[in-house]
């Protein structure tokens, strides 16, 4: 299936991808970054899946989330009747549960279910036995119980059943993981958990403060960001998947099941802008734990509990999504220098305070100490926002965000009453600003460039007016926007930067799709520069790329009309929310 053929269900500690055909092809337990037990998404049937659908029917007739929840309903209409499958993961109790409920809507429908459990990313075939009428699978540290409403017969390392459901019947299936050394977990009541899960999401959404247009898309994006939050710690993963390709058949396949400071900071900003101050406080606590220690040891990304060692490796037994190898776990970007993250998280904390988050003396002390290190290192070359695998450069976006870090320190002191040497940070801010305008701007072409002395462009330059580095009506800003529209747009969407054999910036072969967040940036930049109608047109075209349940991946290929990259992508949904909020503000001022 296409990437956009999947929907997400989760319990804010892990998540599963459910296809239009009723197959769960990806599930990592007990955490987002744990080894998967269903891995067909990145391999084939032998790597594990769980299908539940009418016999002989592939694609469902329709599907949708139950109102503003993460409960998925998939409906098939067949010649003999109609049936619905309800998929969800209830709030975590002692162990993670995945619940599937078959509900007859009309007539009678013959159903087929097939389940292949494969631990350790599809590599370990577990030992399965029947206990008290239910299935118990064990493989190394992993153990799963399957409580089925119908008998499951085994053979050829899989279990399956064919059964009939009539109108009004409800047949539940529960998949429960627990560590193999622990005793059998207590069973849940799936129907009670269905009601509890619905109440949880409805209560959370009721606190949403977004009152502008595009509410449906904004709320679905907020729910997605909440689903990608690891609730025990407050960490926010970039995506629940690994190695979904940025180019079909290519090598740009990365593990996004970790917490990037940048993504998390932007998520914080999106959530606080919608009134979710409690989530902001939880993220701040995660941040303080994650970066605690020597300022020079601050990383780009961490594990969901703040782990720092995330070694990158390949899984050679998996063929990759549509043969896009290698499949990677871990992420080598954890050891990179990316100077923009300092601006992102200082700005996020500043914005969160302005939105009502309570002050925290420990947080301010830690930020001040980190910024003292940053003060002496902002002028170094780095790998930049896009985590290039080529040589370090003086990326202009990185320097702009360095300016943001210094600027927000000034604002925190002046506007929020924190104690600090405001003249020190003001001087640093002015120094960075002067250098960027001198070394990062090409006066002959009237545009800022990707890095000092280069001629290439970079979509991240669209952030210049958004973060306030220069006013929107500055000719250098409008010139940069126009240059990006000329040189980085393909079929109406924005690429991150030029990809060509003679452009060794990222150190990787092959191309990629249009990066969706970049197109959202262009929409906001257009609005800032007075092109409101063009901004709205682009924004609505981007929202229309969402799949049938409102989810977006990292990239989009306009040639094939397909979503690409890890899915769903927090970075994309963050900028959908932020652009909707910005467009609403600009509309009010018109």
């Amino acid at each position: 299936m296409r990437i956009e053929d999947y929907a997400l269900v989760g319990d804010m500690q892990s998540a599963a991808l459910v296809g239009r055909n009723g197959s769960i092809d990806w599930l990592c337990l007990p955490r987002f970054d744990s080894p998967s037990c269903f891995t067909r998404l990145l391999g084939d049937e032998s790597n594990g899946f769980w299908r539940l659908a009418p016999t002989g029917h592939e694609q469902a007739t329709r599907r949708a989330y139950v109102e503003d929840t993460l409960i998925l309903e998939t409906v098939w209409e067949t010649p003999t009747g109609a049936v619905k499958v309800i998929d969800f993961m209830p709030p975590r109790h002692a162990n993670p549960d995945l619940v599937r409920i078959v509900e007859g809507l009309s007539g009678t429908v013959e159903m087929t279910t097939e389940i292949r459990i494969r631990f350790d990313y599809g590599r370990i075939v577990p030992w399965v036995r029947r206990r008290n009428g239910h299935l118990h699978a064990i493989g190394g540290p992993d153990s799963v119980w399957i409580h089925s409403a119908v008998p499951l017969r085994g053979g050829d390392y899989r279990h399956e059943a064919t059964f009939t459901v009539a109108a009004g019947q409800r047949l539940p299936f529960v998949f429960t993981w627990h560590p193999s050394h622990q005793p059998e977990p207590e069973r849940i009541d799936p129907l009670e958990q269905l009601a509890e899960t619905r109440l949880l999401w409805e209560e959370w959404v009721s606190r949403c403060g977004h009152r502008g247009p595009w509410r449906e898309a904004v709320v679905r994006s907020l729910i997605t960001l909440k689903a990608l939050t690891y609730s025990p710690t407050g960490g926010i993963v970039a995506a629940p998947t690994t190695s979904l390709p940025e180019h079909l058949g290519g090598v740009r396949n990365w593990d996004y099941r970790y917490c990037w400071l940048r993504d998390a900071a932007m998520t914080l900003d999106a959530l606080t802008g919608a009134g979710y101050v409690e989530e902001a406080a939880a993220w701040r606590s995660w941040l303080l734990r994650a970066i605690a220690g020597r300022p020079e040891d601050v990383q780009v990304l961490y594990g969901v509990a703040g782990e720092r060692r995330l070694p990158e490796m390949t899984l050679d037994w998996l063929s990759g999504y549509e043969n896009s190898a290698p499949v990677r776990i871990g992420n080598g970007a954890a050891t990179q220098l990316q100077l923009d993250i300092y601006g992102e998280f200082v700005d996020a904390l500043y914005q969160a305070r302005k939105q009502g988050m309570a002050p925290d003396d420990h947080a301010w002390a830690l930020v001040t100490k980190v910024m003292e290190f940053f003060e002496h290192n902002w002028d170094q070359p780095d790998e930049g926002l896009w985590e290039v695998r080529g040589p370090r450069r003086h990326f202009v976006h990185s320097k702009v965000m360095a300016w943001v870090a210094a600027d927000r320190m000034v604002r925190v002191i002046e506007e929020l009453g924190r104690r600090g040497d405001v003249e020190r940070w003001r001087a640093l801010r002015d120094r960075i600003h002067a250098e960027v305008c001198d070394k990062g701007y090409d006066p002959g072409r009237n545009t800022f460039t990707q890095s000092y002395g280069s001629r290439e462009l970079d979509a991240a330059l669209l952030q210049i007016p958004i973060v306030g580095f220069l006013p929107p009506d500055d000719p250098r800003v409008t010139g940069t926007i126009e240059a990006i529209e000329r040189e980085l747009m393909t079929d109406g969407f924005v690429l991150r930067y030029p990809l060509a054999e003679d452009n060794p910036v990222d150190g990787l072969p092959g191309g990629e799709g249009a990066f969706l967040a970049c197109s959202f940036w262009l929409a906001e930049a257009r609005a800032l520069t007075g092109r409101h109608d063009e901004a709205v047109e682009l924004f609505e075209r981007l929202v229309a790329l969402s799949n049938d349940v409102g989810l977006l991946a990292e990239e989009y290929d306009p040639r094939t009309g397909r979503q690409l990259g890890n899915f769903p992508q927090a970075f994309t949904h963050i900028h959908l929310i932020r652009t909707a909020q910005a467009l609403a503000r600009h509309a009010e001022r018109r």
Side-chain angles (χ1 to χ4, degrees):
M1 290 182 293
R2 293 187 173 204
I3 290 170
E4 58 265 36
D5 286 332
Y6 288 97
L8 181 79
V9 297
D11 64 357
M12 288 164 287
Q13 295 191 44
S14 185
L17 292 188
V18 187
R20 288 178 184 267
N21 63 351
S23 181
I24 296 176
D25 292 344
W26 181 253
L27 174 62
C28 299
L29 293 173
R31 308 193 330 178
F32 290 109
D33 56 351
S34 298
S36 55
C37 53
F38 297 138
T39 317
R40 179 160 67 172
L41 180 70
L42 299 178
D44 56 34
E45 290 186 350
S46 68
N47 300 122
F49 67 97
W50 181 7
R51 186 157 191 261
L52 182 57
T55 305
H57 290 265
E58 287 294 326
Q59 301 294 319
T61 305
R62 62 184 181 276
R63 62 179 181 171
Y65 287 112
V66 177
E67 297 179 353
D68 293 332
T69 74
L70 206 63
I71 300 168
L72 180 70
E73 293 186 338
T74 306
V75 175
W76 284 266
E77 294 177 353
T78 76
T80 62
V83 65
K84 174 169 62 180
V85 174
I86 304 168
D87 289 303
F88 68 101
M89 293 180 72
R92 184 79 61 97
H93 297 286
N95 300 284
D97 300 290
L98 171 64
V99 178
R100 315 196 76 180
I101 300 172
V102 180
E103 181 179 339
L105 300 178
S106 65
T108 59
V109 179
E110 183 182 87
M111 300 288 293
T112 297
T113 187
E114 180 182 353
I115 183 167
R116 301 189 188 191
I117 305 168
R118 300 291 186 268
F119 297 129
D120 193 25
Y121 300 104
R123 192 175 193 181
I124 295 177
V125 179
W127 178 265
V128 182
R129 55 181 172 166
R130 203 174 303 274
R131 295 183 60 184
N132 303 321
H134 305 285
L135 295 183
H136 182 211
I138 294 180
D142 299 293
S143 176
V144 162
W145 287 83
I146 302 173
H147 302 289
S148 172
V150 299
L152 297 170
R153 59 185 180 276
D156 194 25
Y157 303 108
R158 62 183 179 180
H159 287 79
E160 57 188 356
T162 301
F163 58 97
T164 299
V165 61
Q169 277 189 297
R170 276 186 163 188
L171 302 175
F173 300 77
V174 180
F175 180 99
T176 303
W177 180 95
H178 71 111
S180 60
H181 65 276
Q182 293 183 355
E184 177 182 354
E186 184 178 346
R187 291 179 60 183
I188 64 169
D189 183 318
L191 298 182
E192 285 184 4
Q193 291 302 307
L194 176 61
E196 182 177 331
T197 303
R198 180 166 183 167
L199 284 174
L200 179 148
W201 284 107
E202 288 176 344
E203 187 279 330
W204 190 80
V205 171
S206 70
R207 293 163 35 215
C208 177
H210 181 80
R211 297 291 181 264
W214 310 293
R215 181 187 183 280
E216 183 177 353
V218 169
V219 168
R220 179 50 53 191
S221 293
L222 287 167
I223 291 172
T224 303
L225 295 182
K226 179 66 171 175
L228 298 179
T229 301
Y230 185 67
S231 59
T233 65
I236 301 165
V237 298
T241 57
T242 179
S243 300
L244 289 179
E246 298 169 13
H247 176 72
L248 294 177
V251 301
R252 296 170 183 267
N253 318 318
W254 313 108
D255 193 346
Y256 278 13
R257 299 171 299 152
Y258 306 111
C259 303
W260 271 254
L261 290 188
R262 178 188 308 107
D263 293 32
M266 290 181 174
T267 300
L268 170 68
D269 184 53
L271 289 171
T272 53
Y276 290 104
V277 179
E278 180 181 328
E279 282 72 15
W283 177 82
R284 182 174 64 185
S285 297
W286 173 86
L287 172 70
L288 297 180
R289 293 190 302 270
I291 69 173
R294 298 189 306 169
E296 59 265 37
D297 295 334
V298 171
Q299 294 189 179
V300 175
L301 65 141
Y302 297 85
V304 294
E307 296 90 349
R308 300 190 179 198
R309 293 184 60 198
L310 306 172
E312 185 173 297
M313 63 188 72
T314 61
L315 307 182
D316 55 10
W317 61 88
L318 293 173
S319 59
Y321 178 83
E322 293 199 13
N323 295 313
S324 300
V327 171
R328 295 182 174 93
I329 60 171
N331 200 302
T335 61
Q336 287 188 349
L337 176 65
Q338 297 177 25
L339 293 168
D340 67 290
I341 64 171
Y342 295 88
E344 300 291 2
F345 82 74
V346 176
D347 182 50
L349 291 172
Y350 163 73
Q351 299 294 346
R353 280 290 317 280
K354 291 191 68 176
Q355 294 288 343
M357 187 171 67
D360 184 293
D361 292 341
H362 173 53
W364 177 243
L366 185 58
V367 167
T368 301
K369 184 61 66 174
V370 169
M371 283 297 295
E372 288 174 359
F373 166 78
F374 174 75
E375 179 184 15
H376 300 290
N377 290 274
W378 70 269
D379 56 354
Q380 300 299 308
D382 73 340
E383 279 90 0
L385 167 71
W386 305 126
E387 302 179 349
V388 299
R389 300 283 171 125
R392 289 181 175 180
R393 286 172 165 76
H394 290 283
F395 287 103
V396 172
H397 172 263
S398 295
K399 306 306 185 189
V400 168
M401 296 310 298
W403 174 89
V404 169
D407 177 74
R408 298 324 186 247
M409 291 293 288
V410 172
R411 295 191 187 192
V412 169
I413 296 169
E414 292 183 337
E415 299 174 18
L416 302 179
R418 281 293 181 182
R419 296 181 62 182
D421 187 348
V422 69
E423 292 302 326
R424 171 187 184 181
W425 300 116
R426 188 179 288 121
L428 178 63
R429 179 182 65 180
D430 294 345
R431 178 184 170 193
I432 297 172
H433 196 279
E435 179 179 297
V436 171
C437 292
D438 177 45
K439 297 182 178 180
Y441 175 70
D442 183 343
R445 297 162 64 207
N446 188 28
T447 181
F448 285 92
T449 59
Q450 184 178 56
S451 60
Y452 290 175
S454 73
R455 291 188 57 82
E456 289 82 11
L457 297 179
D458 191 316
L461 300 169
L462 293 167
Q463 290 284 305
I464 287 174
I466 294 172
V467 301
F469 181 83
L470 286 173
D473 59 355
D474 189 294
R476 292 167 293 183
V477 169
T478 55
T480 300
I481 295 171
E482 292 168 358
I484 289 172
E485 289 175 325
R486 286 193 309 270
E487 299 182 31
L488 287 186
M489 293 194 74
T490 175
D491 297 309
F493 301 99
V494 183
L495 300 173
R496 293 191 294 177
Y497 46 81
L499 289 173
E501 294 301 325
D502 58 352
N503 178 24
V505 170
D506 66 13
L508 294 167
E512 63 177 13
F515 202 80
L516 291 173
C518 297
S519 296
F520 282 117
W521 294 342
L522 177 59
E524 184 171 356
R526 283 176 171 176
L528 283 169
T529 54
R531 299 161 61 185
H532 184 80
D533 292 343
E534 292 178 79
V536 170
E537 184 277 330
L538 175 57
F539 176 78
E540 293 185 339
R541 186 151 45 89
L542 292 166
V543 171
L545 298 180
S546 304
N547 72 357
D548 55 322
V549 291
L551 301 181
L552 287 164
E554 182 179 26
E555 300 184 2
Y556 178 75
D557 184 353
R559 298 168 302 167
T560 61
R562 297 185 60 173
Q563 294 194 30
L564 295 172
N566 284 304
F567 174 88
Q569 175 77 2
F571 205 60
T572 305
H573 286 280
I574 289 165
H575 290 290
L576 185 156
I577 296 166
R578 292 176 65 165
T579 306
Q581 294 168 339
L583 292 180
R585 291 194 299 269
H586 298 319
E588 291 174 359
R589 298 175 187 144
R590 295 180 74 197

